[in-house]
Amino acid sequence: YREVPREIMPVILNRSDAISYASSLFMNDRRAQTWIALVNSGGVIAYSGRVFTGNMWYNERVRTYIIERVLSYNAHEVIVISRRGLDTPKPFDLDLASLRELADALKMVDAYILDYIIIGKTKNVSMRQVADIGNSRWEDQEKSCFMNESEEVLEVHALSEIMDV
């Protein structure tokens, strides 16, 4: 009942959009649970759904489920959204380890974690703001461009040395 027709799916352009979307998922449901939202290259949410009810959201089956959905929906980024029953939600140590493992698995299918958002009763936490959860797609592209530019500079430098000889 929470699925929106594809024509009017929300667009995630920044952290504020992601948090607003995440908060809207739990308006009438206060159970501890975890959802994913898969975002395509244009920032449009291609898929959104619950992956687990409870706090300990990550295991091998969940990782496989997320990877399958990423491939099925041709998604480029994943937003993991957890609802916790705490006033001020804090990430568990296991959350960070799980995110790093998920980031490594997603990288193999050319996808990234956009953010991990924890929704509490009165406050929300963006893991991208408070912890290293791996590079985003944009950071990897910038790094790749920088490395390619560096290689081109080295090639030009090597060519100039050869021509001087």
Side-chain angles (χ1 to χ4, degrees):
Y1 69 92
R2 288 189 180 153
E3 291 200 19
V4 179
R6 281 181 106 33
E7 308 83 57
I8 54 173
M9 288 301 275
V11 176
I12 305 295
L13 298 175
N14 54 46
R15 184 174 289 113
S16 178
D17 292 345
I19 290 174
S20 292
Y21 176 76
S23 297
S24 73
L25 293 174
F26 308 110
M27 285 193 172
N28 298 316
D29 192 348
R30 299 293 177 208
R31 294 176 294 169
Q33 55 191 297
T34 300
W35 284 59
I36 57 169
L38 304 180
V39 181
N40 68 20
S41 60
V44 176
I45 295 177
Y47 170 83
S48 180
R50 183 185 355 238
V51 294
F52 199 80
T53 301
N55 283 324
M56 306 317 288
W57 63 275
Y58 190 78
N59 58 42
E60 188 174 331
R61 268 184 42 209
V62 170
R63 182 182 63 238
T64 302
Y65 176 84
I66 292 171
I67 298 294
E68 287 172 352
R69 294 297 166 284
V70 164
L71 293 171
S72 294
Y73 288 91
N74 194 25
H76 295 276
E77 294 174 305
V78 176
I79 303 170
V80 180
I81 306 161
S82 283
R83 165 75 173 92
R84 305 254 167 96
L86 308 170
D87 279 334
T88 305
K90 293 184 180 175
F92 301 132
D93 291 338
L94 187 57
D95 287 330
L96 188 54
S98 300
L99 285 172
R100 288 182 178 149
E101 187 178 318
L102 180 59
D104 289 342
L106 287 169
K107 206 170 216 179
M108 290 195 275
V109 295
D110 200 27
Y112 299 85
I113 295 176
L114 181 60
D115 206 346
Y116 175 68
I117 299 170
I118 304 172
I119 305 295
K121 287 181 181 177
T122 57
K123 294 184 181 175
N124 306 317
V125 172
S126 162
M127 280 288 272
R128 186 148 306 276
Q129 284 184 308
V130 299
D132 176 14
I133 60 172
N135 285 348
S136 68
R137 177 169 53 114
W138 306 114
E139 290 167 330
D140 259 9
Q141 286 176 349
E142 286 174 12
K143 185 175 159 184
S144 174
C145 288
F146 175 75
M147 290 178 76
N148 288 340
E149 289 172 6
S150 298
E151 290 169 6
E152 289 172 10
V153 169
L154 288 174
E155 288 173 14
V156 168
H157 182 66
L159 279 174
S160 64
E161 285 180 359
I162 292 170
M163 295 181 86
D164 287 337
V165 174

